[in-house]
Amino acid sequence: MRRPRTLVAMGEQVARRLLREPVKSRLAMVADCDPGQVVHDFTGVDLADVEVLYTSWGCPMVSADVLARAPRLRAIVHAAGSVKHHVSDACWQRGILVSTAAAANAEPVAEFTLAAILFANKRVVDIARDYRAGRTDRDWDARYPGFGNYRRTAGIVGASRIGRRVIELLRPFDLDVLVSDPYLHEDLGAERVGLDELVARSDVVSLHAPDLPETRHMIDAGRLAAMRDGATLINTARAALVDQDALVAELVTGRLYAVLDHTEPEILPAGSPLYDLPNALVTPHIAGSLGGELARMADLAVDELARYARGLPFAHGVEPATLSRSA
């Protein structure tokens, strides 16, 4: 197997967290690459012999000017999700092959979502809070009528990689699963419905759509009002999908619950009511790959680099035609 000349391009802190052993050793085995040499700015970098860029978060834009200095560049292997932030139109025009580890990054988000759905229907956070406050037994059935997961309905908004994986993870459970996505034309084992029907029928609504102009505030005041009393909204996607002011207004009434891993702004101001509302669980964008989960993305990207070195097509290649409706 030949070893293509490869340059690592990503943020310095990202590289320290992502490129640990044994990833560094594997990378050096499959490519002519120094994993210790990490660039976060292409200015002044000799790109004449570089055939592959091994990238992640913090990679600078691979612009037409950069490509002019990299005549041998043939592929970009991205050890993270979206490639929109660094793969320019010039890359597609030149026919650069692009791979993404979005599938690896989808796994922890789907796991987080599965846990959130099961905990939401079981009212785990609420009961734990009440138990801590009262420190005595209560009639939990009376306090939370009908709580539990049996025959409850989960609505998945967006048949993205993450949305599809969540549907897969829900299969062993006795839940009815709905899915809404205007681009979905295949059977995922969930009932396909329109978004308005989904929000009206679901006990939990989980968002997995990309942040696009047409998806901004897709969960607006009207759709929030249409949700069942006691239903939970889960957002592990992007804050822009939800009218946050309208959501806060609903949460203040106590009618709905929310699990929010992404808010607008991403770090809420100290005075935000979302911190203190008992029916809102807010986490600081932790659903995606962090800690030990970063190695999954790094390994997938090395696997893709090894496929390229053997002359095989990428298993997780990116097609430019799909970018207009992906994250």
Side-chain angles (χ1 to χ4, degrees):
M1 183 177 71
R2 72 186 189 88
R3 297 169 65 240
R5 180 78 179 95
T6 301
L7 179 67
V8 177
M10 61 187 68
E12 292 181 8
Q13 290 188 359
V14 174
R16 282 196 292 271
R17 296 172 181 173
L18 192 79
L19 299 179
R20 298 180 177 179
E21 296 294 348
V23 171
K24 291 170 69 173
S25 296
R26 290 190 63 220
L27 186 56
M29 286 178 59
V30 303
D32 177 8
C33 174
D34 178 3
Q37 179 192 4
V38 180
V39 302
H40 54 90
D41 185 343
F42 291 125
T43 304
V45 177
D46 183 4
L47 302 173
D49 296 327
V50 175
E51 185 177 347
V52 180
L53 289 175
Y54 183 97
T55 67
S56 190
W57 297 308
C59 176
M61 178 63 71
V62 186
S63 64
D65 290 341
V66 172
L67 290 175
R69 296 166 40 221
R72 298 188 61 189
L73 185 66
R74 297 292 180 269
I76 298 174
V77 176
H78 191 49
S82 176
V83 302
K84 290 182 178 180
H85 304 294
H86 67 295
V87 176
S88 67
D89 289 342
C91 293
W92 301 116
Q93 291 164 6
R94 194 162 110 178
I96 301 293
L97 301 174
V98 179
S99 170
T100 175
N105 193 43
E107 192 66 24
V109 182
E111 292 169 351
F112 181 102
T113 302
L114 172 66
I117 290 171
L118 297 178
F119 266 40
N121 284 331
K122 193 70 173 178
R123 293 287 179 249
V124 170
V125 173
D126 307 283
I127 293 173
R129 184 188 60 248
D130 289 353
Y131 185 44
R132 183 185 302 113
R135 308 196 179 203
T136 186
D137 194 18
R138 296 187 182 185
D139 186 345
W140 302 115
D141 274 310
R143 190 165 178 80
Y144 298 97
F147 78 107
N149 282 285
Y150 184 68
R151 291 279 72 91
R152 302 301 286 274
T153 300
I156 307 302
V157 180
S160 59
R161 287 185 183 90
I162 298 170
R164 289 166 183 255
R165 183 59 178 144
V166 171
I167 291 171
E168 290 177 0
L169 292 177
L170 287 172
R171 283 178 186 154
F173 302 95
D174 292 316
L175 289 160
D176 297 321
V177 182
L178 310 178
V179 60
S180 178
D181 189 317
Y183 298 101
L184 178 62
H185 302 292
E186 60 191 282
D187 184 6
L188 299 181
E191 182 183 352
R192 283 178 289 173
V193 297
L195 181 55
D196 290 333
E197 182 178 349
L198 183 145
V199 298
R201 289 177 54 189
S202 298
D203 297 293
V204 178
V205 175
S206 189
L207 305 182
H208 304 287
D211 180 6
L212 302 171
E214 56 268 35
T215 61
R216 179 171 176 78
H217 289 189
M218 65 191 305
I219 304 300
D220 56 13
R223 287 186 171 130
L224 289 167
M227 289 177 65
R228 293 177 172 180
D229 289 351
T232 300
L233 177 70
I234 300 173
N235 190 5
T236 56
R238 288 294 181 265
L241 303 183
V242 181
D243 182 338
Q244 191 165 290
D245 290 339
L247 175 61
V248 170
E250 282 283 3
L251 292 175
V252 167
T253 71
R255 195 180 72 82
L256 297 179
Y257 294 80
V259 177
L260 306 174
D261 190 54
H262 209 269
T263 55
E264 201 168 31
E266 186 166 324
I267 303 300
L268 291 168
S272 172
L274 287 171
Y275 284 124
D276 299 313
L277 285 167
N279 48 338
L281 176 62
V282 182
T283 52
H285 202 179
I286 61 168
S289 298
L290 289 171
E293 295 163 338
L294 294 171
R296 184 190 282 117
M297 294 194 305
D299 280 336
L300 185 147
V302 173
D303 290 343
E304 290 287 79
L305 183 52
R307 289 181 64 88
Y308 174 83
R310 293 197 299 269
L312 300 174
F314 286 138
H316 300 277
V318 180
E319 295 297 331
T322 66
L323 291 179
S324 62
R325 50 188 174 88
S326 65

